[in-house]
Amino acid sequence: MSLVRLHLEGLPPRITRSELLQFILDVGGLDHRRLGKLELRGNQAEIEVPSGWENRLVKAISAATLRERRIRAWAERQPGSATAEHEHFTRLMRLLELESRAEAQRAVERGRKLSPADAEKSGHSLVDLMVVDDDAGLGGRYLLQLAKRNRPALPWTRLDVGSPVALSAMGGRDAAPLGRAVICERTSSTVRIALEGVPEELDDLDLLRLDLSNDEIAVERQRVALRLAEHAQGDRLAELRAVLLGEREPEFVSDDDSQRRAATPATDAEHLNESQNLAVRLALSARDLALIHGPPGTGKTTTVAEVIRQLVGRGEKVLACAPSNIGVDNLFERLLDAGIRAVRLGHPARVLPQLRANTLDLLVEEHHDVRLAHKLVKNALQLFRRADRYTRAKPKPRERQQIRQEAKALMADARRLERQAVQHILDTADVLCATTTGLDDGMLGQRSFDCVVIDEACQSTEPGCWIPLARGNRLILAGDHRQLPPTVVSAEAQSQGFGISLFERLAERYGDRILHRLDLQYRMHAQIMGFSSAEFYDGALVAHESVAGHRLADLLPTAQAQAAEEELRPLDFVDTAGAGYDEEQEPDGESRLNPREAALVVQLAERLLRLGLPARDLAVIAPYAAQVRYLRDRLPVAGVEIDTVDGFQGREKEVVLISLVRSNATGEIGFLSDTRRMNVAMTRARRRLVIVGDSATLASDPFYARLIEYCEGQGAYRTVWELADHLE
């Protein structure tokens, strides 16, 4: 009898071999003599089962519960079978491990190699913090409010709401952190973090620090998803895998399909334009897969929300995801506005404050079963205290044991009521919303969805998308592979294609058969839009009439706007060639800066502010972190945002100033050659875009040569000397 190895994951704590074996025999209907060796390691196990039984055992185990837990099961493939799948997922698993190690190493280097001051200046740490308040938090978490010692405000930092952080003592950079936490609130002077428990050492410490931390739980969920996808057999996941790996063509509902169930909208949505409605029709007609390509300002998320609204109208259950919390929240807010019964999964601290009332944690707290559960817990604690109380009177035989048993029974009832409340909320929701890596198998169990929708899909590496994908009957991806790709830390993983998203890979393989591109944009003046449209979108973008001719002068006080009309035109390239604006290597670092170019950008910003531009409407973007830090020191104006390109993806400002930094005699432009970054930077601007750079250096690259030529053709080219009169 040949045997196949079956893998089990997510087992309850302290499970015994005999308990696990009995569970497998009960759900599988097998005689124990037909099973081979069983190996148990923590919450994972491997067992040899008869060949031919593996698929039915996987389904039976996955549909059952062990100590009220859902168990993940998958079977190893026979040697020599499914080579394409094996190679694809083995490659992704290897690249995921490279990336995980690189992220962990980067976190260590930040904490150990940099001084506290330099770590804080990098934006990845906050140091010299003291506790100013503590409180009970959402879902039983512990909240700490921290502030800087002897400083009224926090410095600029990348630690924002939702960031995973490690809390540690000052001076203890080599020691283990006091705890892992999530930032749940940030003001100009304080930061509040949510911990899962109270650190015992906290009372003995004076000063603390926070450091950005990697998310190992997310990595493990990706590992599990890749294994499940590789070994899926005879189910919908295996069918979708065949489409996503190019082994089977994706199918769509045809007009003469008698079972299409109104697969296309009966009427187009009035609030969408024609291109957006076409995207909705494509998505709703997909049997397997559809892509919505949304260039900047084209209303991609609005379109995705309408797709989900119509899916729900057809009675379908939807899982809606995005790689980032802000991406999920943007979509979630639109769904709530549309009156859809949507529930947000994940840590409440990572959700925008105005949306937290619709998170699972808070909805559960308000459920009548949970209010009863709280009373049961209170009664149980009283019983435990009563059983532990010493009195002069001798207790009756077994009285204490009986009291404790009663208390344990009350606690068990409370946990059961809480689980019932969670399941009721999940069952009655039409849409569940979560980050791609934030889906908890223990909570979701074996739930599947008619459709999985992933917004901002191009910002996720492929393994992240397989987590929600495994729960869906169909898949809709939305994004723009002409903007920033996924962030990849490992240079080795990046060189081997880990930065190619699932969206980009599928768009390359299937093209227009599964993809619709939105073409009407509502953000940029036509001149600002024109170059990106030609370079990245085949010249197909059209500026809506409401923005095609809008100008910055319309926002400024009339007299000042009229006096400065020429310098407020929508587009300018300011050429610093020949002016001696040379780039420099950052001292003790690898980043680059250009002090004289930064000084010019500061002058341009100050001039706009003097003309009456609100600071909140101005952004300054530079591709190098050293230039960003240099600019922040010299333009400390509240409201003006200064950041790298990555910090502005998905956002917009009325005015954007871009400092390109590179200026050298050899024409080296470094990672400016990743032109998708430039596409993001330029398309953040609504009414005015100013690009400052050295044409002699930049024009060595054909892309930048075309950019300069475009600006010249639009009458938007100036030399640095031409600006002198305006900036005096």
Side-chain angles (χ1 to χ4, degrees), residues 604-624:
L604 290 168
E606 291 174 339
R607 169 63 174 165
L608 287 165
L609 296 172
R610 286 197 302 271
L611 288 173
L613 178 71
R616 66 178 181 276
D617 291 333
L618 175 61
V620 181
I621 299 177
Y624 289 91

Side-chain angles (χ1 to χ4, degrees), residues 527-590:
Q527 280 191 354
I528 298 173
M529 175 201 73
F531 181 72
S532 286
S533 176
E535 282 288 318
F536 297 99
Y537 307 109
D538 306 314
L541 291 191
V542 176
H544 188 265
E545 60 183 11
S546 63
V547 301
H550 67 179
R551 300 177 66 87
L552 182 57
D554 300 334
L555 299 182
L556 303 180
T558 305
Q560 291 172 308
Q562 290 177 349
E565 184 174 358
E566 176 61 21
E567 62 179 291
L568 297 181
R569 55 194 180 187
L571 177 66
D572 268 319
F573 181 91
V574 179
D575 193 354
T576 65
Y581 286 24
D582 297 331
E583 66 183 73
E584 299 176 6
Q585 187 89 13
E586 183 183 32
D588 302 321
E590 298 181 357

